[in-house]
Amino acid sequence: MRPSPGDLLVVDGRASVQFAGDRALTFRVVSVCDRPTYAGWVWLTGYVINRAGRATAKREVYVQLAGLHPAAIAPPAPRRQRNGDTGTSATGSASTHAAASPSRRRRRHWCHDRRNT
């Protein structure tokens, strides 16, 4: 199975020994690194999903493609709004305050920063 962004996967001991037993993860794929690795292995970036269906941590994992399998599809978790935040500005358009925050800027994945040498 070749994962793609948006896939919900179970990452367990079949994918890599570090995820065996109670260390297994439900993982939402954000990106798949296209840099060459050992045959049958891949770097994935994504979010660990808890039992409630919420993302709890962003991770990069190195796993065997043959060990990946789809997770049972859980319903999306309802999004909570902050107190007083309606999600729209005074003009009725969507709020962009989170996008402007420097702490929320997207960092580039390490495999995209490397140059071919």
Side-chain angles (χ1 to χ4, degrees), residues 7-19:
D7 287 350
L8 186 64
L9 305 173
V10 172
V11 178
D12 58 15
R14 292 176 281 186
S16 180
V17 295
Q18 66 182 329
F19 301 111

Side-chain angles (χ1 to χ4, degrees), residues 8 26 28 70-76:
L8 186 64
T26 302
R28 173 77 64 192
I73 297 175

